[in-house]
Amino acid sequence: MKNFTTSRITLAITCCAMIMGFSVSQAQIVFEEKTGQDNPFSTLMPGQYASPAFTDIDNDGDNDVFFALEDGSIAFYKNTGDATQAVFEIQTGDENPLNAADGIAYAGIAFADVDGDGDSDAFVSSVYAWIKYFKNNGTPQQAVFEEQSGENNPLDHYEEGFEGKLDFVDIDNDGDLDVFIGDDYGSIRLYRNDGSADNPLFVEQTGADNPLDQVYAGDFAKPAFADLDLDGDSDLLLGVEDGNFHYFENKGTAEIANFIELTGDQNPFFSFDAGTESKPAFADLDGDGDLDLISGNESGNIRYYKNISTTTLIFQQLSMHSPELMVINNEIIVKFSEYDNARSNEEAKISLYSINGAYLHDYKISLTPETRLPLPMLPQGIYLLRFQTKNQTKTIKVAL
């Protein structure tokens, strides 16, 4: 845990329409490609068909990157810079915790803490229709990956499309991670987690139960999820064979997704061509609290698109002033400068996620003049805080 004694967060978390004032985010999504020295990947050549996945594997507060490659191997580049200026250096042999992982050919990779122990576990796909699971039996600072098979692999039963490319997201807002898998024919399957955040049970959803069941944008589909418009639910960016990015805005809710493709000028990624078989991923590489876009491709070049979006907050004042959130002595303090006693029986849920959307912790509170919540053990960085009542859900970003 970083020392939060002197840190303080004051947020307009004015988010529940029937309970208090709230702020509504309106994001104008703008990404700008960076090249040369402005692209921290410009000198990296990890290998053909590079598919990136980001995680803070050494718990030092910045994003490291792993690339799944054509030959099935996993290349690891440690961020030896910091959270605001990434510098990636390749790690080989024993310095690469997934050096022994073998995806056979045309591998994919995704990270998710599926056992609730606070570190990143790894899933590796291949040219064949199966997915390997590598449980992290180390620590958040020192990863030790051990392959799990049979019933110990929660995706052992995946036997569908070839060259599966994964991304984990809590698509139904139930506090655990679900997984979408794109394949060589462009299908995107949903395996909903019907278990829990620390004991997953992934069950395929078909037909209307899969919000991407009818989506086809091209072969070799690679999904990447992020709340790009800051409306509290996850949107989808899809990389495909032609190298273009297809953007699907979630017009539904955090609980029930409804993805609508935006085309032409409505697609903020319309002008980008990332190269054949674009493989997008999101990570905050400049420490500004929003997610940048990184994409591999067939040739092994890594494209970097900086997020320069702008956000407008619309403030509405209702029966209670917005709560003030402070982090002091490793506690989240929720405090109202004015309080409406008529709301004292109402409850709220506060959930904490990583900037990449991985579920970390949640709290259930009654609305009182002041509430103190203990922080879990977390490295310094940007996180997502979701405040939810029966009337409304709103997600905002916080710096810890």
Side-chain angles (χ1 to χ4, degrees):
M1 169 70 75
K2 301 289 185 180
N3 184 357
F4 295 111
T5 302
T6 59
S7 66
R8 173 185 172 94
I9 307 169
T10 303
L11 301 170
I13 189 177
T14 50
C15 44
C16 301
M18 299 301 293
I19 301 176
M20 61 197 77
F22 67 95
S23 59
V24 180
S25 296
Q26 290 185 336
Q28 181 181 6
I29 303 171
V30 181
F31 283 77
E32 183 178 88
E33 184 170 9
K34 297 296 183 180
T35 59
Q37 293 182 348
D38 293 327
N39 176 4
F41 307 94
S42 62
T43 61
L44 275 57
M45 289 296 294
Q48 290 186 311
Y49 294 91
S51 185
F54 291 84
T55 186
D56 183 4
I57 199 64
D58 50 6
N59 201 37
D60 63 351
D62 54 41
N63 278 297
D64 309 293
V65 62
F66 291 76
F67 292 99
L69 303 174
E70 179 188 25
D71 64 2
S73 64
I74 306 297
F76 170 43
Y77 289 80
K78 181 178 179 179
N79 187 350
T80 59
D82 56 35
T84 61
Q85 187 168 358
V87 177
F88 293 105
E89 295 185 7
I90 191 167
Q91 309 292 304
T92 59
D94 292 341
E95 299 301 315
N96 176 0
L98 285 171
N99 185 58
D102 184 6
I104 308 299
Y106 300 99
I109 185 170
F111 291 94
D113 180 10
V114 295
D115 53 7
D117 63 352
D119 53 37
S120 295
D121 307 298
F123 290 82
V124 175
S125 61
S126 81
V127 67
Y128 302 120
W130 46 252
I131 295 170
K132 292 183 177 181
Y133 168 48
F134 294 85
K135 177 179 170 62
N136 188 347
N137 285 325
T139 67
Q141 293 77 28
Q142 184 69 45
V144 177
F145 290 106
E146 297 181 3
E147 185 175 357
Q148 309 293 305
S149 58
E151 63 181 13
N152 293 321
N153 175 1
L155 285 173
D156 180 67
H157 57 291
Y158 177 77
E159 297 178 350
E160 301 291 345
F162 295 98
E163 295 191 38
K165 299 298 185 289
L166 310 82
D167 200 27
F168 287 84
V169 62
D170 183 3
I171 200 62
D172 51 6
N173 195 31
D174 64 349
D176 54 42
L177 291 173
D178 314 292
V179 60
F180 286 86
I181 307 173
D183 66 21
D184 57 341
Y185 285 105
S187 298
I188 306 169
R189 294 176 173 84
L190 166 61
Y191 285 77
R192 189 181 66 202
N193 187 351
D194 286 345
S196 63
D198 56 6
N199 188 22
L201 175 63
F202 292 112
V203 178
E204 185 175 8
Q205 307 298 300
T206 59
D209 292 326
N210 175 5
L212 296 175
D213 180 68
Q214 298 299 314
V215 167
Y216 174 80
D219 292 347
F220 301 101
K222 166 59 174 74
F225 291 88
D227 182 9
L228 296 178
D229 53 6
L230 302 181
D231 64 349
D233 52 43
S234 294
D235 309 297
L236 168 67
L237 191 65
L238 200 60
V240 293
E241 185 176 23
D242 64 10
N244 296 321
F245 294 122
H246 296 261
Y247 175 56
F248 296 80
E249 184 178 332
N250 188 349
K251 299 284 190 180
T253 65
E255 292 77 22
I256 303 176
N258 179 26
F259 292 103
I260 304 297
E261 183 173 10
L262 303 186
T263 60
D265 292 342
Q266 298 300 308
N267 175 4
F269 307 93
F270 176 72
S271 63
F272 298 146
D273 182 354
T276 304
E277 291 196 32
S278 55
K279 303 187 186 306
F282 289 102
D284 182 8
L285 294 185
D286 50 12
D288 63 353
D290 55 36
L291 293 173
D292 307 299
L293 170 63
I294 302 91
S295 181
N297 58 26
E298 177 185 27
S299 67
N301 295 318
I302 310 301
R303 308 290 178 86
Y304 171 50
Y305 304 90
K306 179 178 171 61
N307 188 342
I308 57 173
S309 304
T310 58
T311 302
T312 301
L313 295 179
I314 302 174
F315 183 71
Q316 299 184 19
Q317 187 65 49
L318 296 174
S319 61
M320 288 196 303
H321 284 234
S322 62
E324 185 179 40
L325 263 66
M326 297 166 284
V327 175
I328 299 176
N329 294 331
N330 299 334
E331 286 186 317
I332 300 174
I333 301 175
V334 185
K335 186 176 182 180
F336 293 94
S337 57
E338 293 187 17
Y339 179 74
D340 184 353
N341 287 321
R343 306 295 181 182
S344 60
N345 292 325
E346 300 199 41
E347 295 183 345
K349 179 181 177 181
I350 296 177
S351 302
L352 189 64
Y353 298 84
S354 74
I355 189 63
N356 293 322
Y359 167 80
L360 299 174
H361 198 71
D362 64 36
Y363 311 85
K364 291 184 179 180
I365 66 170
S366 298
L367 295 179
T368 61
E370 180 174 320
T371 301
R372 292 177 176 265
L373 306 169
L375 271 172
M377 297 293 291
L378 295 170
Q380 188 173 359
I382 305 298
Y383 295 84
L384 301 176
L385 191 66
R386 176 172 291 163
F387 192 103
Q388 182 179 6
T389 71
K390 63 182 180 181
N391 298 302
Q392 188 177 1
T393 298
K394 188 62 188 178
T395 302
I396 59 176
K397 287 180 286 190
V398 298
L400 301 181

